[in-house]
């Protein structure tokens, strides 16, 4: 008779399975975009910013730092620029 997987096997398996529900909720599986959304930016802004910031695996602290380092003069929509400025004005220092 086959044995049920152990708790340890289940935990290891769960760590390997992608968080599909989160990806569906936010509409992305790219870590940097998820970090931008976690910082309070809209999905649209996150997608546009990720076109300017090539790293796709930034955590929230690194994403916040990259936003602080961005120069003026990007070809972003004024709405996105305003959203980023507003977020940076309220973001806690890491």
């Amino acid at each position: 008779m086959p044995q049920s997987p152990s708790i340890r096997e289940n935990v290891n398996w769960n760590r390997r399975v992608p968080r599909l529900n989160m990806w569906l909720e936010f509409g992305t599986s790219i870590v940097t975009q998820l970090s931008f959304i976690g910082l309070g930016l809209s999905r649209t802004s996150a997608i546009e910013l990720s076109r300017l910031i090539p790293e796709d695996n930034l955590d929230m602290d690194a994403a916040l730092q990259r936003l602080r380092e961005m120069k003026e003069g990007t070809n972003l929509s004024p709405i996105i620029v305003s959203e980023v400025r507003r977020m940076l004005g309220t973001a806690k220092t890491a």
Side-chain angles (χ1 to χ4, degrees), residues 3-58:
Q3 291 183 331
S4 298
S6 70
I7 292 174
R8 181 174 295 164
E9 289 170 333
N10 280 337
V11 168
N12 289 334
W13 181 81
N14 284 335
R15 288 181 183 154
R16 292 189 312 254
V17 174
R19 300 179 125 204
L20 297 176
N21 59 336
M22 185 173 69
W23 295 356
L24 290 171
E25 178 74 25
F26 293 114
T28 184
S29 63
I30 299 171
V31 174
T32 299
Q33 290 179 4
L34 290 169
S35 294
F36 288 145
I37 293 168
L39 289 169
L41 297 176
S42 67
R43 180 175 164 267
T44 301
S45 292
I47 291 168
E48 288 302 313
L49 287 166
S50 70
R51 292 180 181 165
L52 296 175
I53 299 173
E55 298 94 347
D56 62 359
N57 205 22
L58 297 177

Side-chain angles (χ1 to χ4, degrees), residues 61-81:
D61 289 334
L64 180 59
Q65 186 60 36
R66 289 302 305 267
L67 290 175
R68 288 183 174 140
E69 294 169 354
M70 282 185 67
K71 307 289 185 216
E72 295 290 327
T74 61
N75 290 330
L76 289 171
S77 157
I79 295 170
I80 295 172
V81 172

